[in-house]
Amino acid sequence: MPEIKINLSEKDIPRQWYNLAADLPTPMPPPLGPDGNPITPSMLSKVFPDNLIEQEVSTKRWIDIPEEIIDILYRWRPAPLRRAVYLERFLKTPARIYYKDESVSPAGSHKPNTAVPQAWYNKQFGIKKLITETGAGQWGSALAFSCNLIGLECKVYMVRISFDQKPLRKIMMQTWGATCVASPSNQTNSGREILKKMPNTPGSLGIAISEAVEEAVSDTSGKTRYALGSVLNHVLLHQTIMGLETKKQLKSINELEPDIVIGCVGGGSNFAGLAFPYVCDKIHGAKIQIIPVEPTACPTLTRGPFAYDHGDVAGLTPLLAMHTLGHNFIPEPIHAGGLRYHGMAPLVSHAAVEGLLEPRAYGQLKCYESAIIWAKTEGTICAPETSHAIACAIEEAHRAREEGKEKVILFSYSGHGLMDLTGYDKYLSGQLTDYAISDAELEKGLESIKDFPKPKISKQVK
Amino acid sequence: MPEIKINLSEKDIPRQWYNLAADLPTPMPPPLGPDGNPITPSMLSKVFPDNLIEQEVSTKRWIDIPEEIIDILYRWRPAPLRRAVYLERFLKTPARIYYKDESVSPAGSHKPNTAVPQAWYNKQFGIKKLITETGAGQWGSALAFSCNLIGLECKVYMVRISFDQKPLRKIMMQTWGATCVASPSNQTNSGREILKKMPNTPGSLGIAISEAVEEAVSDTSGKTRYALGSVLNHVLLHQTIMGLETKKQLKSINELEPDIVIGCVGGGSNFAGLAFPYVCDKIHGAKIQIIPVEPTACPTLTRGPFAYDHGDVAGLTPLLAMHTLGHNFIPEPIHAGGLRYHGMAPLVSHAAVEGLLEPRAYGQLKCYESAIIWAKTEGTICAPETSHAIACAIEEAHRAREEGKEKVILFSYSGHGLMDLTGYDKYLSGQLTDYAISDAELEKGLESIKDFPKPKISKQVK
């Protein structure tokens, strides 16, 4: 029986985060302000604390993790790396399949890896309250968990339809002492505006971001800031602890470096967390396939252009150079709520443009089919987002069998699906369908960005 | 920072279960058949496979765990022992509080510790299908998980009100391939009888047991058996892996033996799993307080007599010598569904009669208050059953502070509460009340057993 759980001793937890911006072959196009000029860090200072803005713009390769943050991460980290032996046997594959198990955190996903540092840096900076938005609730519950531990107030704008239909994550947030309100709400100008026009709207992530940012920047005490759970450079930075731990774990059992690294992508933070240390290897010559997997209902990397676009619907954020479907694009309501984002992290987008990634898009039926195979072989119930990575791992394991190659496949098990069981119910009872956007929908979404400047990547190597 | 997660290496997993029956100061009164005479093992053979009946009646102290079962338990065992440092600090207690974390199993509780061996022994005996009942669903999902891994069909009769109001556990069972039907159903005589009389009944555990046993024993192929998730000797036996691992873990960090051992009790298996190895120590002279905690709504050990009673409402099971509130007693619908059982495991009951245990009963408000303190300090959300143990640990930590004593407190964290968040919602919004049974209710419940023989405990030491 091969080793199926590869623990890492607490003393071997990484002491630094890895910053891919230091190794990208070409510099990233800068975020642009409303005037079309690059923004300065100080323009973000009403939104984020200065210490996080410093990380956001840093191109230093390694950034120290403060000891106090490590002390909190110890509650569930190092996260186990596991080998999916039972899936391998079921697939009769010569591949060895490993997965980084981020479902072990108290909030059940990888999100606390950045929620904890974000809360900690805000606290250090003298902030008393964090405001954020959440879709299905994975991020909102992670920030509620972290603010409670660190001693910050926390308020979460939760998309109305999730607030009503998926109350479990809301109860988690409240249990950890956070305030959770349905968005659009009557508590902000942007919320009131929308409610006037569309009193029965189910809400959207874009609206919720607008409300959260508005409340954060309009607090005159200066003690309130906004927090985001993905997309931004500092968020991806914090997640790299996943990949850095994994490297040590594979080494500890004398396993080869992976041939294939896989992660699901919505905003990009979970994928980046596992993959970026391997993207670094690839930049430096390693032969490795790195596959972000997105839903066909929201195929940002596979069908969206690399362009300047806002991070939110209302256009409150700077223009970011990223793969995007247009900030007006509203994805169909697939169950992997965490993958329903019109844009993609600029760092992930840039790596894709550089040809370092091989993105793929799957329909949700294939993903649920894979989730059921997983539950019946490995025994655990994965998040709908995670099922995209599993579907890809299974596809690659089949290919390894056909090719007769002993490949090492690694993927990120980003979270458990215990709060998302209704999706399983619908799949098992045949009520789910696939969604893929049409060319017309794509064109319509991109309408909203046609007048924006186009990002240029300097082909001059740094 | 003291060590907060005490792992145990896979090679140190216990290789034998501990059987308390070998060490009880006096022999247990035998189960009685319908004629009032002790039943013989063969009378159970249509219900359970012979290899499990052998364990049920065994008085051997140590029983080997087959290697194939250990191979499956490895998926999540050894379970971590954790130290609740943050709770200790919050309570300003000199006590050191440890908890055995059984929430890490794929089904989220301690139940797979016996579901896996039960499925395995049935398979060994040539059985093809297991039938069981479940209340809130912790046991049903654990058996579904285990049957899927081992290759048995699984059918679960789930109490109608849980089936309708708590669909999450049902979806888990279906995801693992089990059939889950609401009880009472039209699929058995006992179900049809009840539905004729009470078409709108919410069902009860007693009714569901009757349906499951009826279907199991009436299968003419001889390839179907019944499985129970608590109460019986062999179930408690399988759970002792919890306490045996814990002993090794405390020793590995050079910690003292615990002064106080705590577990919540419904049928008794979770409590017994952690506590029985310590009950053994106590029998042999160790100074240790062992506290089973039950709800005031179902105070079997603290208010029920030690008497002969049926394990189910319909009276299909043999008479067991146990603490009971009477098989007709229906506890109020508290959220700790796993503690709503009229009886108590004969082994636990016998240990209580022998004065080895110091049972306590709490109302659910105190327990939820403790669960919130736990979520805000330790960061995780516990099952409503588990909150009873936490409430007791907090009470004892306060006492240690008052007495100025550095006690070691150990309790069982029997499961997570992610499938039970509606109880937290009700508590946080002030909708919960306490229940405690009145003398009249107690008397009424005991009516049903007044004509049964009385168990005698031979005072003669074995």
Side-chain angles (χ1 to χ4, degrees):
Chain A
M1 182 73 169
E3 221 166 332
I4 57 171
K5 181 164 57 180
I6 301 122
N7 284 321
L8 186 69
S9 149
E10 287 187 4
K11 70 176 171 26
D12 292 326
I13 198 168
R15 300 283 163 169
Q16 298 180 308
W17 291 300
Y18 168 67
N19 184 5
L20 180 66
D23 286 301
L24 283 174
T26 54
M28 295 169 74
L32 305 180
D35 59 358
N37 290 320
I39 59 163
T40 59
S42 66
M43 291 167 78
L44 293 173
S45 69
K46 285 188 81 174
V47 184
F48 300 110
D50 291 358
N51 45 16
L52 285 177
I53 295 172
E54 198 182 306
Q55 290 186 352
E56 183 63 21
V57 301
S58 172
T59 52
K60 252 182 75 180
R61 179 169 294 114
W62 295 103
I63 293 179
D64 289 343
I65 310 178
E67 200 58 37
E68 295 91 332
I69 290 177
I70 289 178
D71 267 355
I72 298 173
L73 297 180
Y74 273 152
R75 286 171 180 244
W76 73 94
R77 301 204 77 83
L81 180 73
R82 301 186 199 267
R83 180 162 165 200
V85 178
Y86 309 99
L87 178 64
E88 291 170 17
R89 289 181 191 164
F90 174 78
L91 299 174
K92 298 185 175 61
T93 178
R96 298 189 291 283
I97 306 174
Y98 295 90
Y99 60 105
K100 183 66 169 171
D101 186 1
E102 295 292 324
S103 74
V104 298
S105 82
S109 78
H110 65 293
K111 292 290 187 193
N113 294 337
T114 183
V116 166
Q118 287 194 49
W120 188 85
Y121 281 110
N122 272 283
K123 175 97 173 181
Q124 283 294 106
F125 194 68
I127 300 304
K128 304 282 186 209
K129 181 174 181 178
L130 280 179
I131 304 183
T132 196
E133 76 291 321
T134 200
Q138 225 179 36
W139 166 246
S141 55
L143 194 68
F145 161 77
S146 305
C147 284
N148 167 65
L149 290 186
I150 284 167
L152 291 177
E153 259 188 272
C154 180
K155 181 167 176 180
V156 182
Y157 285 94
M158 186 171 188
V159 175
R160 163 65 72 185
I161 190 163
S162 298
F163 187 91
D164 290 340
Q165 289 182 357
K166 299 182 177 177
L168 298 183
R169 288 270 175 200
K170 170 185 71 188
I171 304 171
M172 282 178 91
M173 297 178 222
Q174 290 167 338
T175 300
W176 283 316
T179 307
C180 180
V181 297
S183 165
S185 77
N186 270 314
Q187 307 190 7
T188 64
N189 286 329
S190 30
R192 283 185 291 267
E193 284 286 308
I194 302 260
L195 283 177
K196 220 182 289 168
K197 285 186 234 159
M198 303 181 282
N200 298 317
T201 176
S204 78
L205 210 47
I207 298 168
I209 295 182
S210 302
E211 291 204 81
V213 172
E214 180 190 323
E215 183 176 339
V217 302
S218 59
D219 176 12
T220 52
S221 75
K223 299 291 186 196
T224 301
R225 289 293 183 279
Y226 167 74
L228 189 62
S230 190
V231 180
L232 297 178
N233 302 345
H234 69 275
V235 181
L236 275 55
L237 176 79
H238 300 155
Q239 291 292 355
T240 57
I241 195 164
M242 289 166 57
L244 297 169
E245 282 181 7
T246 301
K247 288 195 145 228
K248 293 189 178 193
Q249 284 162 312
L250 284 175
K251 204 169 163 190
S252 77
I253 55 163
N254 299 313
E255 181 54 277
L256 303 172
E257 289 283 324
D259 300 288
I260 304 171
V261 176
I262 302 162
C264 62
V265 272
S269 75
N270 153 66
F271 166 75
L274 182 69
F276 276 8
Y278 293 103
V279 173
C280 172
D281 293 350
K282 183 157 184 166
I283 291 170
H284 294 101
K287 209 175 150 269
I288 182 169
Q289 239 186 313
I290 302 176
I291 308 173
V293 186
E294 56 189 16
T296 49
C298 193
T300 321
L301 283 169
T302 50
R303 298 190 60 198
F306 182 69
Y308 268 117
D309 195 4
H310 292 293
D312 67 322
V313 177
L316 295 183
T317 74
L319 289 172
L320 304 170
M322 60 183 178
H323 279 277
T324 179
L325 300 168
H327 57 269
N328 282 339
F329 176 73
I330 308 280
E332 293 289 338
I334 54 166
H335 276 275
L339 307 185
R340 294 177 66 238
Y341 183 65
H342 70 275
M344 179 54 62
L347 271 170
V348 173
S349 299
H350 199 91
V353 170
E354 290 287 352
L356 297 162
L357 313 180
E358 299 166 47
R360 240 171 246 186
Y362 294 147
Q364 68 180 349
L365 292 182
K366 178 191 175 91
C367 295
Y368 271 104
E369 185 194 351
S370 304
I372 298 290
I373 291 174
W374 182 265
K376 291 199 170 175
T377 53
E378 290 298 314
T380 58
I381 294 174
C382 70
E385 291 83 4
T386 312
S387 71
H388 289 68
I390 293 173
C392 183
I394 290 176
E395 196 165 273
E396 289 303 319
H398 280 310
R399 194 190 316 272
R401 190 186 56 197
E402 286 154 18
E403 296 174 353
K405 284 192 188 155
E406 269 196 29
K407 293 183 188 171
V408 175
I409 298 173
L410 169 68
F411 75 89
S412 161
Y413 191 85
S414 53
H416 64 62
L418 299 181
M419 325 298 283
D420 310 279
L421 284 164
T422 45
Y424 281 83
D425 197 25
K426 289 207 172 129
Y427 173 73
L428 290 169
S429 55
Q431 293 173 55
L432 280 196
T433 49
D434 270 336
Y435 297 103
I437 69 171
S438 65
D439 290 343
E441 284 169 306
L442 181 60
E443 213 168 297
K444 187 168 161 244
L446 297 177
E447 269 292 300
S448 61
I449 62 168
K450 70 178 187 330
D451 297 331
F452 292 162
K454 302 285 170 278
K456 287 185 189 62
I457 291 189
S458 151
K459 277 296 154 195
Q460 189 181 357
V461 173
K462 283 191 299 187
Chain B
M1 184 73 168
E3 220 167 333
I4 58 172
K5 182 164 58 182
I6 301 121
N7 285 321
L8 185 69
S9 150
E10 286 186 6
K11 68 175 172 31
D12 292 327
I13 199 169
R15 300 282 163 170
Q16 297 180 308
W17 291 300
Y18 168 66
N19 184 5
L20 180 65
D23 285 302
L24 284 174
T26 54
M28 296 170 73
L32 305 181
D35 59 358
N37 290 322
I39 58 164
T40 59
S42 66
M43 292 167 79
L44 294 172
S45 69
K46 285 188 82 173
V47 184
F48 301 109
D50 291 357
N51 45 15
L52 284 177
I53 295 172
E54 198 182 306
Q55 291 187 352
E56 182 64 22
V57 301
S58 171
T59 52
K60 251 181 78 180
R61 180 169 293 113
W62 296 101
I63 292 178
D64 289 344
I65 310 178
E67 199 59 38
E68 294 92 332
I69 290 177
I70 289 178
D71 267 355
I72 299 174
L73 297 180
Y74 273 152
R75 287 171 179 243
W76 71 96
R77 303 204 75 86
L81 180 72
R82 303 187 199 267
R83 181 164 164 197
V85 178
Y86 310 98
L87 179 65
E88 291 171 17
R89 289 180 191 163
F90 174 80
L91 298 174
K92 300 186 173 62
T93 178
R96 296 189 293 283
I97 306 175
Y98 295 90
Y99 60 105
K100 183 66 168 173
D101 186 1
E102 295 291 325
S103 75
V104 299
S105 81
S109 79
H110 64 292
K111 292 290 188 192
N113 295 338
T114 183
V116 166
Q118 286 193 50
W120 188 85
Y121 281 109
N122 271 282
K123 175 97 171 177
Q124 283 294 107
F125 194 69
I127 300 304
K128 304 282 186 208
K129 181 173 181 179
L130 279 180
I131 304 183
T132 196
E133 76 292 321
T134 199
Q138 226 179 34
W139 166 246
S141 55
L143 194 67
F145 161 78
S146 305
C147 283
N148 167 64
L149 291 185
I150 285 167
L152 290 178
E153 259 190 272
C154 179
K155 180 167 178 182
V156 182
Y157 284 94
M158 186 172 189
V159 174
R160 161 66 72 184
I161 189 163
S162 299
F163 187 91
D164 290 340
Q165 290 183 355
K166 300 184 177 176
L168 298 183
R169 288 271 175 199
K170 170 186 69 188
I171 304 171
M172 284 178 91
M173 295 179 225
Q174 289 167 338
T175 300
W176 283 316
T179 307
C180 180
V181 296
S183 164
S185 76
N186 271 314
Q187 306 189 8
T188 63
N189 286 329
S190 30
R192 283 185 290 267
E193 284 284 307
I194 302 262
L195 283 175
K196 219 182 290 168
K197 285 187 235 157
M198 304 182 282
N200 299 316
T201 176
S204 79
L205 210 47
I207 298 169
I209 296 181
S210 301
E211 291 204 82
V213 172
E214 180 189 323
E215 183 176 339
V217 301
S218 58
D219 175 11
T220 51
S221 77
K223 298 292 184 195
T224 301
R225 290 291 184 279
Y226 168 74
L228 189 62
S230 189
V231 180
L232 297 178
N233 302 344
H234 68 276
V235 181
L236 276 56
L237 175 80
H238 300 155
Q239 291 292 356
T240 58
I241 195 165
M242 291 166 57
L244 297 169
E245 282 181 8
T246 301
K247 289 196 144 223
K248 291 188 179 195
Q249 285 162 310
L250 285 175
K251 205 168 164 192
S252 77
I253 55 164
N254 299 312
E255 180 55 277
L256 303 172
E257 289 282 325
D259 299 288
I260 303 170
V261 177
I262 301 163
C264 62
V265 270
S269 75
N270 153 67
F271 165 77
L274 182 68
F276 276 6
Y278 294 102
V279 173
C280 171
D281 293 350
K282 183 156 181 166
I283 291 170
H284 295 101
K287 209 172 150 268
I288 183 169
Q289 239 185 311
I290 302 176
I291 309 174
V293 186
E294 57 188 14
T296 49
C298 193
T300 321
L301 282 169
T302 52
R303 298 189 61 197
F306 182 71
Y308 268 117
D309 196 5
H310 291 294
D312 68 322
V313 177
L316 295 184
T317 75
L319 289 173
L320 304 170
M322 61 183 177
H323 279 278
T324 179
L325 300 166
H327 58 270
N328 282 339
F329 176 74
I330 308 280
E332 293 288 338
I334 55 165
H335 277 275
L339 308 185
R340 293 177 68 238
Y341 183 64
H342 70 275
M344 179 55 61
L347 270 170
V348 173
S349 298
H350 199 92
V353 169
E354 290 285 352
L356 296 162
L357 313 180
E358 299 167 47
R360 241 172 245 187
Y362 294 148
Q364 69 179 349
L365 292 181
K366 177 190 175 92
C367 296
Y368 271 105
E369 186 194 352
S370 304
I372 298 291
I373 292 174
W374 182 265
K376 291 199 168 174
T377 54
E378 290 297 314
T380 58
I381 294 175
C382 70
E385 292 82 4
T386 311
S387 72
H388 290 68
I390 294 174
C392 183
I394 291 176
E395 196 166 272
E396 289 303 319
H398 280 310
R399 195 191 315 273
R401 190 185 60 197
E402 285 155 18
E403 296 174 353
K405 284 191 189 156
E406 270 196 29
K407 294 181 188 173
V408 175
I409 298 173
L410 168 68
F411 75 89
S412 162
Y413 191 84
S414 52
H416 65 62
L418 299 180
M419 324 299 283
D420 310 279
L421 283 163
T422 45
Y424 281 84
D425 196 27
K426 291 210 172 128
Y427 173 74
L428 290 169
S429 55
Q431 293 173 56
L432 280 197
T433 48
D434 270 337
Y435 296 103
I437 69 170
S438 65
D439 289 343
E441 284 169 306
L442 181 60
E443 213 168 299
K444 187 166 160 249
L446 296 178
E447 270 291 301
S448 61
I449 62 168
K450 69 176 184 335
D451 297 331
F452 292 163
K454 302 285 169 275
K456 287 187 188 62
I457 291 189
S458 150
K459 277 294 152 199
Q460 188 182 355
V461 172
K462 281 192 301 185

